[in-house]
Amino acid sequence: MTDGPAVDTRPTKIMFVAEATAHGGRDGYVTSQDGQIDLKVAMPPQLGGDGNGTNPEQLFAAGYSACFHNALILVGNREGYDLTGSTVAAKVGIGPNQQRGYGLAVALSVSLPVVDADLATRLVDAAHEVCPYSNATRGNIDVTILLG
């Protein structure tokens, strides 16, 4: 899928606000305001840490995969398809960028065993337009979607 002209994807109404706080950066812990998240975070060994905790990339992968899967189920339901048994897995990579900072890249692996390849492609393309994570990252990071 190629990106067309810029489209305003900002919300017209805020329906929910999530709150989380980091304590100690990548070697500390994160909590959510409602107590649902209370996790130790640690640098992965590949970035010089001990890997003895989760990391922001894992949290982003979890959030993106759940959000994209929900968008996929939503567009499937809108078109009358039951996507029971479908899954979305996310891989989030991090590495240096050309501005002396760091950037992310995402690969989403979508499994839609109950529909044919053409329909799966159409549903995934529609979900990519609906998903808030896709809308937030579009044009900012590389997102690859693989159907399997």
Side-chain angles (χ1 to χ4, degrees):
M1 176 194 315
T2 59
D3 295 336
V7 175
D8 188 354
T9 59
R10 293 175 294 182
T12 57
K13 175 184 173 183
I14 300 297
M15 298 169 57
F16 170 74
V17 174
E19 294 181 49
T21 304
H23 310 265
R26 286 181 170 268
D27 284 311
Y29 63 100
V30 292
T31 59
S32 62
Q33 176 273 336
D34 63 3
Q36 293 297 312
I37 297 174
D38 187 355
L39 299 170
K40 179 178 177 4
V41 289
M43 293 281 278
Q46 299 87 337
L47 298 179
D50 64 14
N52 200 12
T54 191
N55 58 66
E57 292 71 37
Q58 288 175 326
L59 297 170
F60 189 75
Y64 202 160
S65 62
C67 191
F68 194 89
H69 195 210
N70 198 72
L72 186 62
I73 291 167
L74 175 73
V75 299
N77 286 341
R78 284 181 180 169
E79 295 195 27
Y81 297 102
D82 178 1
L83 300 183
T84 299
S86 63
T87 60
V88 176
K91 292 181 181 179
V92 175
I94 185 172
N97 64 24
Q98 294 181 5
Q99 285 72 42
R100 298 184 54 179
Y102 290 85
L104 300 174
V106 173
L108 298 174
S109 297
V110 179
S111 174
L112 285 166
V114 295
V115 299
D116 67 43
D118 289 338
L119 178 56
T121 298
R122 190 165 56 81
L123 293 174
V124 164
D125 287 348
H128 195 45
E129 294 301 317
V130 170
C131 176
Y133 276 67
S134 293
N135 287 329
T137 60
R138 187 172 290 111
N140 297 312
I141 66 174
D142 290 334
V143 176
T144 304
I145 302 175
L146 309 166
L147 277 169

